[in-house]
Every structure is written in structure tokens, then in C-alpha cells.
């Protein structure tokens, strides 16, 4: 368990946050200073012409957050909206990790952006290899931690492996680690469970990333989410660019959410229904050596020669993701589940591979 001192430090956040960020006086934009309705806006040096594009968007995306809060069962104050989840990941570094002093720990293999953001921010990145079956072992993760470890990145379901991480293992990390635990749930809609969002109020050190890019079919909107306790969201808000989400994105995502989540759920069901026969077809192929368990909208497979098969498929106009250079993923391809026609095209192409 956490030492009492570490826990108290944690509760007031001060010990975890970079000093300059803790003390930061954030930029105050015109739309921060005045909120509400007025008839004449002469405060932001906007053009009076070309409505509605002439006006700056709401810097805190209040109306969109209300809708997200309702669908996700959290309070609007627990939400940060970013230009994709990648913005939330980068903000986590910029708020908590002092360059060339602090470090972060992440599982390996996992989503590549944690390492890229670590490198950009000049923060040491410690990898902990997943076990057989790409399972997470909490003791190994906690062994990699030292007093300068500020964040542990977990990804569940994990990219590129596709599997959910064991709840008990994550729970042990949540209760034993005195820093931030960031759980990336980009694929949680496909996993058939609620993920960690219902536990947000219970764990003050929890940050959860989700996104509209996958199950919601809104990759082009660049709209990612971070959920955390309000004190952490306040820090993220201080550091993010003031108008990070355009009004086009705010309005379009808002409009999608007004219709509820039935359409999204329906798409998820279709993709999961398609995943089963696709796995069955792949299993029958001699070139496929292993199919890893998937809780996501993609499948990781091990094949006889990933580079060759990747090239072959590319020549046929079918693009999959070659993950064979990723550690523990020798000869692996990552295949997104598409429409029935797209999956059929893939299977037919693989059948004629010699
Ligand atoms: C796709 C993906 C994201 C989403 O990133 P966006 O910037 O929101 O599009 C985040 N995390 C993981 C693990 C992903 O695979």
C-alpha cells in the first residue's frame, strides 16, 4: 500500500504536478472573461462578418460536455475534450512529468503515442513486457516504479494486441502506486464491459482516455476525451490551447450525441458479429499461425511471413497494419474488422496467397 506521506502528497496533488504548472497563471481569453448571452460582441477582435465562422468557439466546450456527461454517467467537470486522445496523452506529460527528471512506465507492446510523447517531452519511458497471452502482471509494473515515476500508462483493450487487461491486476496498481494511472480505453465500446469510468470517483489517481475516433465512427472530427477528478481536469485546462476544439467539431459531435448512442451500439454489434466469422476463416488458413484473443474491433494474427503477406495484400489494394517489428509481435499483422465486403475481400486475397 501507499505510504501515508505519499498518499497525503497525492491527495493535494502538489507533489505530483510540475511546479511551473502548479503555479501557472493560464492565458485568459475573451470568452473566459465573459460568459453568457449578449447582443454586441466587441471583446475578441473577431470579424463582425462571415457568421457563424467569425466567432471563437467555447474554450471549455460546455454544451458538448453536458451531453458527454449524460451518456458516460460522469460530471461535466470530470471531462477534458482534446484534439484526439493524443492531446490528452501529451497533456498528461506536460502537467505531471518534469523533463529529464521524472519517468513514466508503460506496458510493452502498446500504443505508440505514449513513447512518442515521452520522447518529445524528454521524459524517460520504462517498458514492462506483457506476459504470455499479452497479460498484464501488476508486480512487474510496480517493480519498474521509483520515486520519480509520475504516470503508469495502461491500455485496455490494448493496441496492438486487442485484449482487455485483467481487472484485479489493474486494481492492484491503482491501490499500490502513488502517481497517476492513465488507462486508455479507446476500444472499450467493443469490450462488452463498462471499463473503469464507474470507478472514477473512487480513485483520485485515475485518468481515463476515451475517444470518438473508433466505435463512434468520428475519427475525422479529432475529438478525444480524458476523464479524471476535477482537480486534474483544472490542471489540463490550464495547459491546453485555449480554443483547442473548433466549433465545427463541437457542433458536429454534439449533433451526433443528441441522437443518443443507439447508432454507435448498433455499429459495435455489427462489427463484433463480423469479427467471429473473420476469425473462423483466418483460423482455417495454413499461413496463419496464431490468432490472439480480441476484445476490440481488430485482430492481431501471427503469420508465416508478415512482411511478404503485407506486401502481397498491399499490391491487391488491401492495407493491413504490419506490426512485425513491434516487440513480442514477430510476424504479426493487425487487421481491422471492416464491412462484410471488405472482410470478404481480405479473406479471398489471403486464400490465393502462395
Ligand atoms: C486509436 C487510438 C486512440 C485514439 O486516438 P485519437 O487521437 O483520439 O484518434 C487512442 N489510444 C489508442 C490505444 C488507440 O488505438
Amino acid at each position: 500500500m501507499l505510504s501515508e506521506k505519499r498518499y497525503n502528497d497525492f491527495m493535494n496533488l502538489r507533489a505530483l504536478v510540475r511546479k511551473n504548472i502548479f503555479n501557472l497563471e493560464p492565458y485568459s481569453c475573451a470568452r473566459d472573461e465573459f460568459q453568457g448571452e449578449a447582443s454586441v460582441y466587441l471583446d475578441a477582435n473577431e470579424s463582425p462578418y462571415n457568421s457563424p465562422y467569425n466567432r471563437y468557439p467555447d474554450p471549455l466546450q460546455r454544451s458538448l460536455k453536458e451531453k458527454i456527461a449524460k451518456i458516460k454517467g460522469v460530471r461535466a467537470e470530470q471531462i477534458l475534450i482534446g484534439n484526439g486522445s493524443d492531446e490528452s496523452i501529451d497533456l498528461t506529460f506536460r502537467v505531471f512529468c518534469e523533463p529529464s527528471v521524472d519517468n513514466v512506465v508503460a506496458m510493452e507492446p502498446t500504443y505508440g503515442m505514449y513513447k512518442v510523447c515521452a520522447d518529445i517531452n524528454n521524459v524517460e519511458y520504462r517498458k514492462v513486457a506483457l506476459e504470455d497471452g499479452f497479460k498484464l502482471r501488476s508486480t512487474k509494473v510496480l517493480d519498474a516504479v521509483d520515486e520519480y515515476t509520475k504516470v503508469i500508462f495502461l491500455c485496455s483493450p490494448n493496441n496492438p494486441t486487442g485484449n482487455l487487461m485483467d481487472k484485479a491486476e489493474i486494481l492492484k496498481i491503482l491501490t499500490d502506486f502513488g502517481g497517476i494511472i492513465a488507462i486508455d480505453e479507446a476500444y472499450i465500446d467493443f469490450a462488452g464491459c463498462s471499463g473503469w469510468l464507474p470507478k472514477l470517483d473512487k480513485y483520485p489517481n485515475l485518468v481515463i482516455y476515451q475517444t470518438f475516433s473508433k466505435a463512434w465512427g468520428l475519427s475525422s472530427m479529432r475529438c478525444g476525451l480524458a476523464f479524471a477528478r476535477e482537480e486534474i481536469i483544472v490542471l489540463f485546462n490550464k495547459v491546453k490551447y485555449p480554443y483547442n476544439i473548433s466549433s465545427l467539431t463541437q457542433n458536429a459531435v454534439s449533433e451526433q450525441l443528441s441522437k443518443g448512442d443507439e447508432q454507435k451500439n448498433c455499429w459495435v454489434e455489427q462489427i463484433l458479429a463480423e469479427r467471429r466469422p473473420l476469425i473462423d476463416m483466418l483460423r482455417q488458413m495454413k499461413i496463419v499461425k496464431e490468432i490472439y484473443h480480441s476484445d476490440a474491433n481488430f485482430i492481431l494474427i501471427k503469420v508465416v511471413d508478415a512482411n511478404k503477406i503485407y506486401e502481397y495484400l498491399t499490391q491487391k489494394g488491401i492495407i493491413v497494419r504490419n506490426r512485425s517489428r513491434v516487440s513480442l509481435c514477430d510476424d504479426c499483422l493487425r487487421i481491422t474488422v471492416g464491412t462484410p465486403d471488405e472482410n470478404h475481400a481480405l479473406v479471398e486475397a489471403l486464400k490465393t496467397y502462395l
Side-chain angles (χ1 to χ4, degrees):
M1 286 304 275
L2 289 183
S3 72
E4 198 171 330
K5 183 190 171 301
R6 190 86 201 247
Y7 191 75
N8 290 337
D9 282 350
F10 186 78
M11 288 311 289
N12 69 25
L13 266 189
R14 202 184 180 113
L16 277 182
V17 178
R18 293 170 67 200
K19 212 177 185 174
N20 61 314
I21 301 300
F22 198 88
N23 296 327
L24 178 71
E25 180 80 47
Y27 177 72
S28 171
C29 54
R31 288 293 171 273
D32 281 328
E33 232 158 69
F34 177 81
Q35 293 159 25
E37 294 296 316
S39 51
V40 181
Y41 285 102
L42 301 174
D43 59 342
N45 296 347
E46 297 154 335
S47 167
Y49 308 116
N50 205 24
S51 176
Y53 305 116
N54 58 331
R55 298 294 174 197
Y56 279 105
D58 176 1
L60 291 173
Q61 308 99 20
R62 291 171 188 83
S63 141
L64 179 54
K65 279 179 186 169
E66 288 301 332
K67 290 186 177 155
I68 295 170
K70 221 177 256 164
I71 283 181
K72 299 286 181 181
V74 300
R75 297 186 296 283
E77 298 75 30
Q78 296 172 304
I79 304 173
L80 170 105
I81 305 180
N83 188 325
S85 330
D86 295 343
E87 182 178 6
S88 319
I89 295 166
D90 189 53
L91 280 173
T92 308
F93 279 94
R94 294 206 285 157
V95 166
F96 293 107
C97 302
E98 192 60 37
S100 64
V101 175
D102 292 330
N103 67 69
V104 301
V105 171
M107 26 195 254
E108 173 78 4
T110 194
Y111 185 47
M113 275 309 284
Y114 317 132
K115 168 107 177 23
V116 172
C117 287
D119 289 345
I120 290 169
N121 288 284
N122 198 20
V123 168
E124 185 197 345
Y125 181 86
R126 299 183 174 184
K127 301 171 182 177
V128 176
L130 292 169
E131 306 282 293
D132 277 357
F134 299 121
K135 288 198 165 61
L136 176 72
R137 189 184 293 169
S138 56
T139 48
K140 262 174 87 176
V141 172
L142 292 167
D143 280 348
V145 165
D146 69 11
E147 61 182 306
Y148 296 105
T149 305
K150 291 293 186 65
V151 187
I152 295 176
F153 288 96
L154 304 174
C155 187
S156 180
N158 187 31
N159 181 2
T161 63
N163 58 316
L164 265 175
M165 296 298 128
D166 188 82
K167 265 195 168 160
E169 296 298 308
I170 293 184
L171 198 59
K172 175 137 174 64
I173 297 171
L174 270 172
T175 49
D176 283 19
F177 175 56
I180 299 294
I181 291 109
I183 306 180
D184 189 335
E185 295 189 334
Y187 301 98
I188 197 65
D189 297 277
F190 301 102
C193 68
S194 53
W196 289 89
L197 219 41
K199 298 276 163 41
L200 198 59
D201 282 320
K202 193 163 174 192
Y203 299 103
N205 48 347
L206 182 55
V207 174
I208 297 168
Y209 308 128
Q210 291 188 5
T211 180
F212 288 108
S213 293
K214 306 288 160 63
W216 287 87
L218 294 169
S219 301
S220 79
M221 296 284 166
R222 306 313 303 133
C223 194
L225 305 169
F227 302 92
R229 67 164 151 147
E230 190 174 351
E231 292 89 336
I232 293 178
I233 298 299
V234 166
L235 289 161
F236 284 171
N237 283 337
K238 286 212 301 186
V239 175
K240 77 173 184 71
Y241 292 146
Y243 302 109
N244 61 328
I245 308 295
S246 79
S247 55
L248 294 179
T249 293
Q250 290 188 47
N251 293 340
V253 175
S254 210
E255 195 179 310
Q256 296 266 330
L257 296 188
S258 300
K259 299 181 222 153
D261 59 1
E262 283 99 55
Q263 175 67 80
K264 182 264 295 175
N265 294 337
C266 178
W267 285 331
V268 166
E269 254 174 61
Q270 269 174 268
I271 288 166
L272 294 182
E274 264 306 300
R275 193 179 64 187
R276 261 170 261 133
L278 179 58
I279 289 173
D280 290 341
M281 295 297 275
L282 291 168
R283 192 166 278 136
Q284 289 164 27
M285 291 178 189
K286 276 209 196 82
I287 52 166
V288 179
K289 294 203 288 192
E290 192 158 3
I291 301 173
Y292 297 97
H293 175 79
S294 170
D295 298 297
N297 66 333
F298 60 86
I299 310 162
L300 188 74
I301 63 172
K302 195 186 275 296
V303 293
V304 284
D305 189 335
N307 292 331
K308 258 195 177 151
I309 294 174
Y310 174 81
E311 279 308 321
Y312 168 81
L313 288 173
T314 301
Q315 260 153 38
K316 298 212 146 207
I318 298 169
I319 315 300
V320 298
R321 193 91 151 109
N322 186 354
R323 300 280 74 188
S324 56
R325 278 189 306 276
V326 172
S327 63
L328 304 179
C329 295
D330 298 345
D331 275 322
C332 283
L333 299 173
R334 195 193 68 194
I335 299 167
T336 308
V337 180
T339 63
D341 283 353
E342 290 169 333
N343 304 333
H344 181 74
L346 171 81
V347 167
E348 289 307 307
L350 284 175
K351 275 183 184 165
T352 56
Y353 175 81
L354 296 174

